[in-house]
Amino acid sequence: MLNSDRLIRADPSSVEIELMIEEKLKVQGQQLEIQQHLSFEPGAKQIRYRIETYIFSPVSLQINGENYKATDCLRFFKNFIRLRPPSIDLEHFANGSVASNHLSEALAELEKLPTELALERFLQVNKLFALTYKRSLRLKTHNLYDELDLQDSEARHYVELIQKALDVYRLQAKRLREIGKTIGSECDVFCDEFMSVITLYYLQKMIVRIQRESSKNILLSLWESENRYRKEHHQESSSEQSSQEQQLYRWRLLTKYVSSCLFLNIKPHVGPTFLVHSLYGFAAAVSMIFATVIAFAWQGQYGALSANLFVALVIGYIFKDRIKDLLKEQLSKRFKKWIPDRRLEILRDERYHVGDCKESFEFFDVRRLPEPVRRLRQRAQSVKGIYDWRFESILLYKKELTVKTDPALFRDTRYGLMDTTWFNLMPFLNFIDTDEADLPVADDSSMHISQADKIYHLYFVRRLFTLTADKRESVKDEIIRVVLTNKGINSMKTLDI
């Protein structure tokens, strides 16, 4: 995983706020996962930023405008946007009086609501509690992760915090189950299973990592105790009750279920925009004016009924359609900056519109490349001094995100978002040929010739655009090299140049 932290300022329309963006990149099978973790302060109407990604690929991979249209490129990218759970220290979370009182107040509040609203709030309270616990445990575990020689006192304190944090929820188990039965939900049971499994997961990471045996035994004691609890209260999650494949499927489904309260719905906008309708209307009007002028001119000269007028009307009709199509094409190119190839509406609970995401795709001529992008690509060449733009195709992917920072949207969560883009690299593998090739020179005097995998380099130049406090545009650039073989992604690296 590669990380880069950036502190920038976004345009909030009325009040300036600081927007922290932490970017993470991961390889997931044959896909790249690019995450932007956004954190900001309340008090603004909206946040907005834009990312331009220039993808340089070898011409031999045939990723070009002849083989792919903009609508084809839509299948390369998929977007997810989710809220972020509260960030609380495990020490604070384990403080029974604070966390328990908050949970009790939330339960008392939902008991007064009508059944439908109570169900919605019950799901929200339980899922957010489980996700907040997970984040608190993860942060604490990562703080201790580099301490290979973990002291016994630190291990005992870590174990005590986990036990107290779990007890905050489990001491309310009877009340939660009664409410759940009343409104017809088992969310509390699933969330308890989720917290049990995630506890075992992070304990395992620590047990494998640390070297001191006495500290390891302290953690192992809690692991065994929690595993017994899981088998007793959540038998279906145990491998003894199901196959390993079914167990993994259940865990993935459980994770999606608990995390669902954070995900925002992304719905494609259907139909052309008002700007597109206006441009096409203008093209139709110009072509109609041409045909009408021809008809009036010839009618005045040759009369209303004549062969010459008939020929003029036919010619006018032919050119009218051609003029309209030509104008539509030229106007679309001229206004492409304002006409996205895909518009996505961001909704919460399928009802509340909270923002928009606009995406555009274009195969780019190297002569139109911005100079900073051109320099960055040349400096990133793995074999220095050998670079020819004719060897590469360039695909430009633009993404602009706008989200309203309504306090109702961030109820019970942090003021922040996680914007995730999945980039599918499978189309880039269609024209890769044989796995291996002979090296040109023998290894030694025995004339033994070795073989090596054929590799291809993709370069991603990413530009992040935001507005500074004085309304000027700020740009942050980075370049990533992805190495491909015909088996898929071989490696990925953010270049420091």
Side-chain angles (χ1 to χ4, degrees):
M1 183 187 299
L2 305 172
N3 301 313
S4 59
D5 297 343
R6 302 175 179 136
L7 182 61
I8 55 181
R9 299 181 73 86
D11 174 20
S13 292
S14 61
V15 181
E16 291 298 336
I17 58 171
E18 283 190 328
L19 171 64
M20 173 75 77
I21 298 183
E22 178 188 0
E23 186 172 83
K24 296 183 179 180
L25 297 96
K26 296 186 242 182
V27 175
Q28 303 278 15
Q30 306 306 326
Q31 300 185 93
L32 289 183
E33 181 183 358
I34 306 171
Q35 295 180 351
Q36 275 84 38
H37 295 245
L38 315 178
S39 299
F40 49 90
E41 298 296 327
K45 288 186 177 181
Q46 66 181 20
I47 59 171
R48 181 189 295 119
Y49 71 94
R50 183 176 85 253
I51 294 179
E52 295 181 356
T53 304
Y54 296 83
I55 304 170
F56 296 80
S57 62
V59 293
S60 58
L61 299 186
Q62 297 292 300
I63 305 297
N64 53 48
E66 296 178 1
N67 295 325
Y68 295 93
K69 298 179 181 179
T71 52
D72 299 321
C73 297
L74 295 176
R75 296 194 295 268
F76 293 179
F77 297 88
K78 189 173 183 180
N79 291 287
F80 303 92
I81 301 176
R82 55 172 287 183
L83 303 172
R84 303 179 70 187
S87 184
I88 302 174
D89 291 337
L90 191 61
E91 286 84 354
H92 182 76
F93 199 94
N95 185 338
S97 61
V98 176
S100 181
N101 289 343
H102 178 75
L103 181 60
S104 298
E105 290 172 4
L107 295 179
E109 176 189 343
L110 69 88
E111 286 176 332
K112 302 175 183 177
L113 298 174
T115 302
E116 184 177 348
L117 294 178
L119 175 59
E120 183 177 332
R121 184 63 178 153
F122 184 74
L123 297 175
Q124 184 84 353
V125 167
N126 282 279
K127 291 178 180 180
L128 277 176
F129 189 98
L131 293 170
T132 304
Y133 169 75
K134 174 190 174 182
R135 178 169 175 81
S136 301
L137 179 59
R138 180 173 66 86
L139 293 176
K140 182 64 176 178
T141 303
H142 285 184
N143 288 339
L144 299 175
Y145 198 64
D146 291 333
E147 298 186 26
L148 301 180
D149 191 26
L150 188 70
Q151 300 298 313
D152 292 356
S153 58
E154 293 177 308
R156 279 191 291 268
H157 181 61
Y158 178 64
V159 166
E160 289 172 2
L161 290 177
I162 294 175
Q163 290 175 323
K164 289 180 180 179
L166 289 172
D167 286 344
V168 170
Y169 190 78
R170 290 172 181 172
L171 289 175
Q172 298 279 359
K174 184 177 179 180
R175 185 181 181 187
L176 287 166
R177 192 79 295 276
E178 290 174 353
I179 297 174
K181 288 180 179 178
T182 302
I183 61 179
S185 173
E186 294 187 2
C187 180
D188 56 306
V189 178
F190 292 130
C191 288
D192 184 59
E193 178 184 345
F194 175 84
M195 289 190 289
S196 180
V197 175
I198 209 68
T199 300
L200 294 171
Y201 171 77
Y202 282 112
L203 282 172
Q204 290 165 186
K205 292 187 69 173
M206 290 294 294
I207 291 170
V208 172
R209 178 75 172 170
I210 62 177
Q211 298 176 350
R212 184 185 291 268
E213 285 298 323
S214 56
S215 297
K216 186 176 295 189
N217 290 334
I218 293 172
L219 300 184
L220 187 59
S221 175
L222 177 60
W223 187 93
E224 293 172 344
S225 172
E226 187 60 31
N227 200 33
R228 287 193 298 269
Y229 175 89
R230 179 178 66 96
K231 291 180 179 179
E232 179 182 349
H233 293 83
H234 310 289
Q235 295 181 1
E236 293 183 0
S237 72
S238 172
S239 59
E240 298 173 1
Q241 303 294 326
S242 58
S243 65
Q244 292 180 337
E245 291 77 11
Q246 185 63 28
Q247 185 182 4
L248 179 59
Y249 175 78
R250 180 182 177 85
W251 168 242
R252 294 178 61 202
L253 196 62
L254 184 64
T255 302
K256 291 180 182 178
Y257 173 75
V258 175
S259 302
S260 62
C261 65
L262 297 179
F263 278 91
L264 300 177
N265 306 110
I266 296 181
K267 180 181 177 182
H269 180 82
V270 180
T273 64
F274 177 77
L275 176 60
V276 173
H277 281 300
S278 300
L279 294 177
Y280 287 1
F282 176 77
V286 172
S287 63
M288 188 62 192
I289 290 172
F290 170 80
T292 304
V293 168
I294 293 294
F296 282 8
W298 285 60
Q299 184 177 3
Q301 184 172 358
Y302 298 105
L305 297 175
S306 66
N308 290 333
L309 178 61
F310 176 78
V311 172
L313 290 175
V314 171
I315 293 174
Y317 180 81
I318 293 172
F319 280 96
K320 178 177 78 72
D321 283 351
R322 300 287 70 79
I323 290 173
K324 183 172 69 173
D325 292 340
L326 179 63
L327 279 175
K328 286 169 62 176
E329 180 181 349
Q330 294 301 317
L331 288 172
S332 296
K333 290 181 180 179
R334 181 64 61 90
F335 288 86
K336 184 172 179 58
K337 179 180 179 181
W338 297 278
I339 305 176
D341 293 308
R342 177 165 61 186
R343 289 180 62 208
L344 303 173
E345 295 183 77
I346 305 172
L347 308 171
R348 185 168 191 185
D349 301 328
E350 296 286 352
R351 292 173 289 179
Y352 307 111
H353 181 269
V354 297
D356 296 283
C357 179
K358 301 176 183 179
E359 297 176 290
S360 299
F361 307 87
E362 179 184 2
F363 285 96
F364 215 72
D365 189 330
V366 69
R367 289 167 292 190
R368 295 168 48 214
L369 273 179
E371 191 57 31
V373 175
R374 186 196 307 273
R375 290 198 303 267
L376 205 57
R377 172 61 190 94
Q378 289 177 339
R379 291 163 58 191
Q381 182 68 13
S382 58
V383 180
K384 301 301 180 184
I386 300 181
Y387 175 67
D388 191 327
W389 60 268
R390 293 172 298 178
F391 297 162
E392 290 184 321
S393 301
I394 305 171
L395 172 63
L396 171 60
Y397 168 55
K398 292 182 182 179
K399 174 181 174 180
E400 181 175 333
L401 183 72
T402 304
V403 177
K404 302 173 185 176
T405 56
D406 188 342
L409 173 64
F410 299 97
R411 181 183 179 184
D412 299 327
T413 67
R414 277 190 292 165
Y415 270 81
L417 295 169
M418 182 187 295
D419 177 16
T420 303
T421 301
W422 286 66
F423 176 42
N424 180 22
L425 288 175
M426 287 300 293
F428 289 80
L429 307 180
N430 292 337
F431 289 91
I432 292 183
D433 51 11
T434 57
D435 296 354
E436 298 179 335
D438 293 340
L439 294 178
V441 180
D443 296 339
D444 49 40
S445 57
S446 65
M447 296 298 111
H448 175 264
I449 299 178
S450 298
Q451 290 188 323
D453 287 334
K454 296 181 71 173
I455 63 173
Y456 299 80
H457 287 181
L458 302 182
Y459 290 90
F460 292 72
V461 177
R462 291 171 50 77
R463 313 195 79 200
L464 176 63
F465 295 83
T466 57
L467 293 181
T468 61
D470 55 359
K471 300 295 184 179
R472 291 184 301 176
E473 195 168 55
S474 171
V475 185
K476 301 291 183 180
D477 297 336
E478 70 174 359
I479 185 165
I480 303 161
R481 180 192 293 144
V482 177
V483 180
L484 294 181
T485 67
N486 75 336
K487 300 181 183 69
I489 300 175
N490 180 271
S491 65
M492 177 187 68
K493 182 180 181 182
T494 299
L495 305 179
D496 186 15
I497 56 177

